[in-house]
């Protein structure tokens, strides 16, 4: 049976995997307010980081739930 | 064939392809395209839209036909470049609150600019109902995030850290401040500290990296994850807005003037208050303009007597303090950063998107207050007395209350700075004679122990 990865490793993996994926997704015109360039990239990276914390939180909830 | 001087049609709002806002007489109408009409109607039926409308946070809308809506008219529109930082922050907090609450109903904001908000008295109201669109539950990006940063957060940062107030930054930059501009103003150390690091420095680095972003909201694996990310992003915007003004309010030349720096004794202030109260009881104004309102002592007094007050001053710090007081007590006072000697011009495309202050003010006010301000206009700005009285005559529908400050007054002497010869003609007799051209004297009174007189005038209607 394989070992469950540590929450910290899961988080780091998520962030590292998400950033390059974001930069290669296809372009699409959207909305009319200018999303900016740096601010948009920053948001994407921040979202990737938050996505990692989402899984981390789920993982912790699962562990916490089992122990309970 | 096109004529050389063909008149341009009146401006309708034009940036949002989903619809257009225009005025017809006193009506504020919104024409919506067929696709957007369904979305708008669905949004207006949501619990959040109905609750926000009931508590005055969202403008009321009634559907006149399939694609035509009428909105409530806000009595006196004010624009972001006429707000102190406190009001810009309040408009931002309302924007974030509605963005957060509408998420649960499956809607999101497609733009986030302070032009979506007006103020009813001191209370912000979100007016651009077409800003709400159905959101893809799997999208985690908030597309107007960049616009929110440029038009709310960075102007507030510029105000707090560099003393550049929204009336200065937003008057020149419709779409707010770019991170690159703010980066240039900040010291190397400050660039690495919050909130500069995440709002200015990192976006600038990313923007300069040459990597063109792909403008597509990220599709998340689940709606739960997308809502989690979006919720945190909006909460972080809310937190940054809440912290944007710092712990204490700034001081300026005119802040605390009434309490600490003025020449008046408590008895003289009480005498002025009595005169103003009696004038308001007599004039029973529905609308009052307080010119040079300072910290709003008399604006608040007028609002407490039931008037709808617009309080203008050129100092954004004192205007911010009026807003804090009025907002706390939910008073009907709209504070605005306006210098009556250089009033806000008409702005936007063809100078027709936002009316000038004077176009909004002319004939709007039943009573105009000019307390302890006339000497600054006549001496510091060198506006001719007759011109000033003419402007008051144009703005007022009925009454004008002026505190005349004679050349012998110590404050008058102080601002004359040795140029007494230039202003020796500004006597009380000259003032009364000039005023009588346009106004009838209702009553006047000298402030005890001062070279200052209070006048209540009634406008002569036949004069042109």
């Amino acid at each position: 049976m394989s070992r469950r990865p540590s929450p910290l490793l899961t988080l780091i993996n998520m962030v590292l995997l998400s950033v390059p994926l974001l930069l290669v997704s296809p372009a699409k015109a959207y909305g009319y307010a200018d999303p900016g360039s740096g601010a948009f990239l920053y948001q994407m990276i921040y979202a990737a980081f938050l996505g990692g914390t989402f899984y981390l939180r789920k993982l912790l909830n699962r562990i916490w739930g089992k122990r309970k | 064939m096109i004529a050389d001087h063909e008149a341009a049609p009146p401006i309708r709002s034009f940036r949002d392809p989903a619809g257009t806002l225009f005025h017809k007489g006193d009506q504020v109408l919104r024409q919506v395209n067929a696709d957007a009409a369904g979305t708008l109607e669905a949004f207006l039926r949501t619990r959040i839209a109905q609750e926000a409308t009931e508590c005055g946070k969202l403008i009321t809308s009634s559907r006149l036909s399939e694609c035509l809506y009428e909105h409530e008219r806000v009595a006196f529109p004010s624009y972001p470049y006429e707000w102190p930082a406190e009001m810009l922050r309040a408009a931002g907090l309302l924007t974030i609150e509605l963005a957060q609450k509408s998420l649960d109903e499956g809607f999101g904001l497609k733009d986030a600019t302070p032009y979506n908000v007006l103020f009813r008295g001191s209370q912000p109201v979100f007016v651009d109902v077409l800003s709400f669109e159905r959101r893809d539950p799997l999208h985690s990006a908030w597309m107007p995030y960049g616009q929110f940063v440029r038009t709310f957060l960075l102007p507030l940062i510029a105000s707090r850290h560099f003393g550049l107030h929204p009336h200065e930054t937003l008057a020149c930059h419709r779409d707010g401040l770019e991170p690159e501009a703010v980066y240039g103003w900040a010291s190397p150390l400050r660039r690495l500290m919050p909130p500069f690091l995440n709002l200015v420095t990192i976006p600038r680095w990313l923007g300069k990296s040459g990597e063109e972003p792909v403008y597509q909201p990220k599709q998340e694996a689940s709606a739960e994850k997308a809502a989690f990310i979006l919720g945190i992003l909006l909460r972080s915007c809310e937190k940054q807005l809440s912290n944007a003004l710092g712990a204490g309010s700034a001081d300026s030349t005119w802040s605390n003037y009434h309490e600490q720096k003025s020449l008046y004794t408590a008895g003289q202030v009480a005498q002025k208050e009595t005169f103003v109260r009696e004038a308001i009881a007599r004039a029973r104004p529905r609308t009052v303009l307080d010119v040079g309102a300072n910290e709003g002592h008399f604006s608040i007094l007028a609002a407490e007597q039931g008037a709808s007050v617009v309080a203008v001053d050129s100092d954004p710090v004192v205007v911010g303090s009026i807003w804090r007081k009025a907002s706390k007590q939910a008073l009907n006072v709209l504070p605005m950063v306006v210098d009556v000697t250089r009033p806000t011009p008409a702005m936007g495309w063809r100078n027709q998107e936002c009316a000038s202050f004077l176009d909004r003010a002319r004939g709007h006010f039943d009573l105009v207050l000019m307390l302890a301000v006339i000497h600054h206009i006549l001496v510091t700005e060198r506006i001719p007395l007759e011109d000033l009285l003419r402007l008051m005559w144009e703005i007022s529908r009925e009454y004008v209350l002026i505190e005349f400050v004679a050349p012998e007054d110590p404050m008058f002497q102080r601002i004359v700075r040795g140029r007494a010869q230039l202003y020796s003609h500004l006597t009380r007799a000259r003032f009364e004679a000039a005023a009588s051209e346009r106004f009838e004297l209702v009553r006047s009174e000298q402030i005890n122990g001062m070279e200052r007189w209070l006048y209540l005038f009634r406008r002569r209607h036949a004069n042109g």
Side-chain angles (χ1 to χ4, degrees):
Chain A
M1 191 176 142
S2 63
R3 284 182 61 194
R4 189 188 294 276
S6 81
L8 185 64
L9 271 176
T10 310
L11 173 68
I12 292 169
N13 279 340
M14 280 315 210
V15 173
L16 290 178
L17 285 172
S18 302
V19 173
L21 282 174
L22 282 166
L23 298 175
V24 296
S25 5
K28 179 186 172 189
Y30 193 86
Y32 77 94
D34 178 5
S37 55
F40 188 81
L41 279 171
Y42 171 77
Q43 190 195 177
M44 292 293 100
I45 293 169
Y46 187 50
F49 170 75
L50 292 177
T53 65
F54 172 77
Y55 287 116
L56 175 65
R57 202 180 69 143
K58 279 194 92 133
L59 189 67
L60 290 175
N61 281 347
R62 204 179 303 158
I63 295 165
W64 182 253
K66 275 185 181 174
R67 283 184 186 167
K68 240 175 150 183
Chain B
M1 190 173 160
I2 299 168
D4 283 350
H5 302 291
E6 188 181 342
I11 284 280
R12 294 163 153 236
S13 72
F14 52 84
R15 289 200 173 82
D16 185 351
T20 180
L21 187 86
F22 59 99
H23 293 82
K24 189 177 169 192
D26 274 348
Q27 286 181 298
V28 181
L29 301 172
R30 190 184 297 273
Q31 183 83 43
V32 184
N33 69 35
D35 289 348
T39 307
L40 176 56
E41 198 52 28
F43 171 71
L44 292 175
R45 281 203 219 105
T46 60
R47 188 179 46 83
I48 154 70
Q50 286 174 3
E51 282 177 5
T53 307
E54 271 166 35
C55 67
K57 291 179 177 177
L58 187 69
I59 201 77
T60 55
S61 313
S62 35
R63 195 175 198 178
L64 301 183
S65 65
E66 189 66 23
C67 293
L68 188 66
Y69 286 80
E70 180 173 4
H71 296 297
E72 165 204 348
R73 192 183 182 93
V74 171
F76 199 89
S78 61
Y79 302 112
Y81 45 82
E82 296 172 321
W83 299 342
E86 287 84 346
M87 290 170 72
L88 183 62
R89 183 177 73 157
L93 287 170
L94 176 63
T95 302
I96 290 290
E97 180 189 336
L98 293 177
Q100 284 172 322
K101 288 182 174 168
S102 59
L103 284 186
D104 302 335
E105 308 263 7
F107 284 85
L109 282 179
K110 64 184 174 194
D111 65 347
T113 153
Y115 288 91
N116 287 342
V117 178
L118 290 175
F119 278 80
R120 262 198 222 104
S122 56
Q123 304 304 308
V125 51
F126 197 95
V127 294
D128 188 5
V129 289
L130 265 192
S131 285
F132 294 91
E133 62 179 2
R134 284 188 202 281
R135 91 169 243 283
D136 183 331
L138 295 179
H139 282 179
S140 62
W142 191 42
M143 294 305 284
Y145 171 76
Q147 190 183 34
F148 184 83
V149 172
R150 289 194 302 274
T151 56
F152 287 104
L153 292 175
L154 294 185
L156 286 170
I157 284 177
S159 175
R160 180 180 174 188
H161 295 275
F162 308 116
L164 285 167
H165 297 278
H167 77 281
E168 293 160 317
T169 49
L170 295 179
C172 307
H173 304 278
R174 180 192 65 79
D175 201 36
L177 296 174
E178 292 289 345
E180 288 76 10
V182 182
Y183 184 87
W185 301 334
S187 69
L189 182 63
R190 192 168 258 174
R191 289 170 187 165
L192 299 175
M193 291 162 64
F196 287 82
L197 184 64
N198 60 321
L199 294 180
V200 175
T201 309
I202 294 178
R204 182 185 174 269
W205 288 340
L206 293 169
K208 273 189 78 177
S209 69
E211 194 71 56
E212 189 57 25
V214 284
Y215 296 106
Q216 182 178 22
K218 175 118 192 301
Q219 285 270 354
E220 300 294 347
S222 69
E224 186 193 0
K225 184 183 172 193
F228 172 83
I229 293 170
L230 210 42
I232 292 186
L233 182 75
L234 291 173
R235 278 202 297 281
S236 126
C237 289
E238 184 187 12
K239 195 176 166 197
Q240 288 179 95
L241 266 178
S242 300
N243 296 335
L245 295 184
S249 63
D251 205 4
S252 76
T253 313
W254 302 107
S255 57
N256 300 318
Y257 179 80
H258 195 79
E259 289 81 6
Q260 295 165 23
K261 299 175 191 167
S262 81
L263 305 163
Y264 302 93
T265 63
Q268 287 161 341
V269 170
Q271 188 189 352
K272 260 175 87 164
E273 283 174 357
T274 305
F275 190 94
V276 174
R277 258 198 202 97
E278 287 174 4
I280 291 171
R282 180 191 187 105
R284 301 161 67 96
R286 282 177 298 122
T287 48
V288 170
L289 173 68
D290 188 357
V291 176
N294 194 251
E295 294 200 322
H297 186 81
F298 293 98
S299 304
I300 290 171
L301 190 147
E304 285 171 346
Q305 287 184 258
S308 167
V309 181
V310 174
V312 299
D313 201 291
S314 57
D315 182 341
V317 175
V318 296
V319 176
S321 92
I322 301 175
W323 182 81
R324 285 197 300 274
K325 284 183 238 174
S327 172
K328 200 171 171 184
Q329 299 171 53
L331 291 172
N332 194 354
V333 177
L334 168 64
M336 291 168 66
V337 184
V338 171
D339 180 346
V340 82
T341 66
R342 293 169 60 83
T344 321
M347 299 285 254
W349 176 240
R350 288 183 180 274
N351 285 146
Q352 286 183 28
E353 286 186 76
C354 303
S356 75
F357 176 76
L358 291 184
D359 281 347
R360 283 169 280 159
R362 275 194 193 97
H364 182 83
F365 297 100
D366 296 326
L367 169 67
V368 178
L369 298 177
M370 292 191 71
L371 294 161
V373 69
I374 193 169
H375 50 313
H376 295 290
I377 297 173
L378 299 176
V379 176
T380 311
E381 299 296 334
R382 289 191 53 72
I383 304 296
L385 175 62
E386 289 75 10
D387 282 13
L388 175 61
L389 290 166
R390 183 189 170 96
L391 181 63
M392 295 306 113
W393 183 85
E394 287 172 8
I395 291 174
S396 171
R397 263 202 300 244
E398 200 70 42
Y399 290 93
V400 174
L401 195 163
I402 301 179
E403 179 179 351
F404 178 74
V405 180
E408 296 78 22
D409 178 87
M411 181 55 89
F412 193 108
Q413 298 277 326
R414 208 166 105 189
I415 60 176
V416 160
R417 291 180 180 150
R419 299 165 296 165
Q421 200 66 26
L422 274 176
Y423 303 103
S424 57
H425 65 286
L426 293 173
T427 60
R428 188 161 67 93
R430 166 87 185 271
F431 168 73
E432 287 182 357
S436 70
E437 296 282 312
R438 296 186 177 277
F439 302 98
E440 289 167 24
L441 177 63
V442 178
R443 60 178 293 225
S444 70
E445 184 176 311
Q446 183 173 13
I447 301 178
N448 296 329
M450 300 187 93
E451 291 297 325
R452 296 182 176 214
W453 281 260
L454 296 163
Y455 290 88
L456 177 63
F457 292 113
R458 189 168 194 163
R459 189 178 186 273
R460 288 186 201 277
H461 284 271
N463 199 321

